[in-house]
Amino acid sequence: ADPSAKIVGFCPTGDMGSSSTVPFLQHGIEAGGLNHADAVSFHPYSAAHLGSRNPADTAIAAIRAETAKARANVPLWNTEGY
């Protein structure tokens, strides 16, 4: 095992008919997942444009707000797409 390896978790997305990334993320945080993650990833598939159903800037702000409730300054990583 590599002790310097980063654990990246969650990968909430606004696609699949969802208008928010928050509910999925909330469940993971409530289960204690953020206690084991170095960063939170997200997939902005439906958020490429500001006119999208769940635009990237809105999704990122929501993810930051939700993670801050459990732990401040969690890095966010866009791990797929745009």
Side-chain angles (χ1 to χ4, degrees):
D2 183 350
S4 67
K6 300 293 181 198
I7 305 300
V8 182
F10 304 106
C11 306
T13 182
D15 66 344
M16 306 292 285
S18 174
S19 62
S20 175
T21 55
V22 173
F24 179 82
L25 183 59
Q26 283 174 326
H27 292 299
I29 291 171
E30 289 168 1
L34 195 56
N35 297 329
H36 306 285
D38 297 302
V40 170
S41 65
F42 65 97
H43 296 174
Y45 298 122
S46 65
H49 307 288
L50 292 178
S52 299
R53 182 176 182 182
N54 185 25
D57 58 338
T58 302
I60 291 167
I63 292 167
R64 284 196 191 284
E66 198 59 37
T67 56
K69 292 176 187 177
R71 193 173 88 214
N73 301 315
V74 177
L76 298 185
W77 292 7
N78 176 352
T79 54
E80 259 185 67
Y82 313 97

